[in-house]
Amino acid sequence: MKNEKQQPSTGKKQEIKVKNSSAADALKRAPDEVIARAIHDVLLKQKEGK
């Protein structure tokens, strides 16, 4: 096994940046009923296609 030295930490934490998406924001604000209805409609379309 190799003995490897770990790099010393600089004391600062690296920030994690998250990109904002307008579509994701809209989904967060949408009522649960609207999202459930959209999922239901997609499942019905998939079932009809088979």
Side-chain angles (χ1 to χ4, degrees):
M1 294 182 81
K2 295 181 181 178
N3 291 332
E4 296 181 13
K5 293 183 180 180
Q6 293 181 351
Q7 297 291 329
S9 63
T10 60
K12 287 187 177 180
K13 290 186 178 179
Q14 192 173 19
E15 288 187 30
I16 298 173
K17 295 181 181 179
V18 180
K19 293 182 181 180
N20 292 334
S21 168
S22 58
D25 291 339
L27 283 174
K28 287 179 187 176
R29 291 190 304 268
D32 292 341
E33 294 83 11
V34 173
I35 295 172
R37 185 63 180 182
I39 293 170
H40 182 264
D41 292 346
V42 169
L43 290 174
L44 282 177
K45 286 181 183 179
Q46 288 180 349
K47 187 177 179 183
E48 291 173 358
K50 289 185 176 181

